[in-house]
Structure formats: structure tokens, C-alpha cells
Amino acid sequence: MPPPPSIPFYPAYCFLASPTFSTWAKFTAADVHTLTTREGFEGSDSHLLFPRTSHLALIRSSPLAAQKIYFYLNHPIKWVRLVGVIVAFDASDYRLTFCLDDSSGKIVEVTCPRDRTGVGPSTNSTHGATTPKTPTEPPHFKGRTLSGISVDLAGFDVGSVVKVKGGVGAFRGERQVELERITPVRTTTAEAAAWRETQLFHSTVLSTPWSLPPNEQRLLKEEADGTAQRAKEKAHRKAERETRRKKRAEQDKTAQAGRQKHADRDGNVQGRGQKRRVSDKENEGV
């Protein structure tokens, strides 16, 4: 949703206090398409962090500005959860893609890199007609997420109702979901419960802009400054260890060269002594 001009946007070190950043934000497909970007948060996922409470320490030490982060109003969004029905499925040689319809008025594309380990190229890109490399090779619908998790989509097809979790990305200007988790929704009761969760998340979180009191901003900045200082000190200690290691290696190399030089000199002395003794014996024989 495009934010009103007066909404404040907080620095990245404040994101830990956001009710949307460190969780799977319960979105609809239409919500995904309304996400906006801001300068400085369009980077690549070099450090993928999952929305689990036990991983908040990793989030604290991550370069947030280097990650793909989108905004709903002023809520920072990185991970989303959607529930809907698969209405199209495509399995190309290097990517698995399906379209999710949740009756929100929009369809969102969900994509995942294909795990190509030991699999030959297919000759047809539709789910039901992918041709294996050999007649004995089974159809292969395994993917590997950007975070390295293996997912198997063999049990999902057009008509499957699923719960999807993933990061937000874009392709040719269109928002899409980069798959991390997928589970089947087997009953209408479970589907209705998921929709109620989405509606509750909208009414209690997304319906109003995020507001952070100044004193909490100050505390978060102090914490971020402390984390940065500790990281700097850690890098300094690592550099010192590396310098000492190189110095020891150079000293060992010098000592080894010295020992080799002494060994060569002793060998030359012994060789001259042997030649002298041989010469003395030859003279005695004469």
C-alpha cells in the first residue's frame, strides 16, 4: 500500500521493534502487489534471516540495508505467508513456478530454483508433462530455496490448496514470492482458520502505520551502536591474529631456510673431507 506523505520511516536498526519484520506477515496476494520500495533496501539476499524469535540475535548482527526489504505503509516486510489455490504450474529446467489465487482480486507468482542434482533437461515445461532425461528417471519437482532448504513440489498441482511462506522479490516489475516453505491445507476448516488469521493480522497490525516512541528509538540506536562496536573489535582481533599467524609462518620459513643452509654447509664440509681422505690414500698407494 503506498504510504501517505506524512508517515515516518524509521532507520534499519529500528526494524527489530516492528511487528512485521521478524515474523511471517500474513498477507494476501493483493497485499504483495501493493508493497513499495525505498532507496537503500533493494539489495540482494546475501544474509537470509528467518523470522523466528531464536534468530533475533542473527538479525541484530545482519546488514539489513543489504537485504531486499519492502514496505506496507511504513511496515518493513521481508517474509510473508499466504494461503490459496494453485491455478497454474510451470516446471522449467532451472525453476519451479506456480501461481497462487486467494480470491483477493490478484494472483501472485511463487517461484523456487530447481534442484538440478542428477537430473537431465526436461522437454516440456508443464507440470503434468515433464519428460525425464531417461525412461527410467522419475519426474523431478524438487527445488532448493535461496536459503538452501530443499522442497519437494511433486505432491502439489493445479487445484491444490496450500499455505506458502517465503521472501518477497520482483521480476520484470511484478512482485512475486520466493518460496521457502509450502504445506497443504487439507480441510476447509483449516483454510477458514488461516483466513481468519490473515484478517486479524490486517486489523491489528497492517491497518495503521507503525509508530515507535522516541525513547525506544534511542535505545535501539544505542544497542545498534554497541553491536557495531563489538563487530569492529572482533574484526580487529581477527586481523591481529592473522598478522601473528603470518609472522609465525615467516619466522618458521626463515628458520627452516637457516637449518637447510647449515645442513648444506655441513654436507659440503663432509664431502671435502671424504675427497681429502681418498686423495691421501691414493698418494700412499703411489
Side-chain angles (χ1 to χ4, degrees), residues 163-190:
K163 181 182 294 185
V164 168
K165 295 179 178 180
V168 181
F171 181 69
R172 294 179 179 175
E174 288 292 325
R175 300 285 181 262
Q176 60 181 199
V177 175
E178 297 169 345
L179 183 65
E180 288 292 337
R181 307 280 193 278
I182 182 170
T183 54
V185 179
R186 304 189 185 280
T187 66
T188 54
T189 301

Side-chain angles (χ1 to χ4, degrees), residues 27-38:
F27 264 37
T28 66
D31 294 333
V32 173
H33 287 289
T34 63
L35 289 173
T36 59
T37 59
R38 287 184 66 81

